[in-house]
């Protein structure tokens, strides 16, 4: 049981050493990720539609 308690104490100490992003940085990173995901979603959707149309053209 003591090992588990020590583990969580160590986790708490290590979490205190972490350099957490500021609110502005976090917002910027979140927007970057969302824009990238939307871009790739649209990109692959267009590619998928294009390939689907090409396959439909084959008799």
């Amino acid at each position: 049981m003591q090992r588990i308690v020590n583990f969580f104490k160590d986790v708490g100490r290590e979490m205190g050493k972490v350099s957490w992003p500021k609110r502005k940085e976090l917002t910027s990173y979140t927007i970057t990720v969302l824009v990238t995901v939307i871009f790739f979603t649209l990109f692959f959707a267009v590619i998928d539609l294009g390939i689907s149309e090409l396959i439909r053209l084959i008799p």
Side-chain angles (χ1 to χ4, degrees):
M1 185 66 173
Q2 187 61 32
R3 290 178 65 196
I4 294 172
V5 171
N6 286 339
F7 172 76
F8 283 109
K9 284 181 182 178
D10 289 341
V11 168
R13 267 194 298 268
E14 290 299 320
M15 294 297 280
K17 297 178 186 178
V18 173
S19 173
W20 297 100
K22 305 292 182 231
R23 184 177 185 91
K24 188 174 180 180
E25 291 173 323
L26 185 60
T27 302
S28 174
Y29 297 158
T30 302
I31 290 170
T32 301
V33 168
L34 291 175
V35 168
T36 303
V37 167
I38 290 168
F39 171 77
F40 278 106
T41 300
L42 293 173
F43 174 77
F44 285 116
V46 168
I47 296 297
D48 184 51
L49 288 172
I51 291 172
S52 296
E53 289 300 319
L54 285 175
I55 290 175
R56 285 191 191 119
L57 292 174
I58 298 173

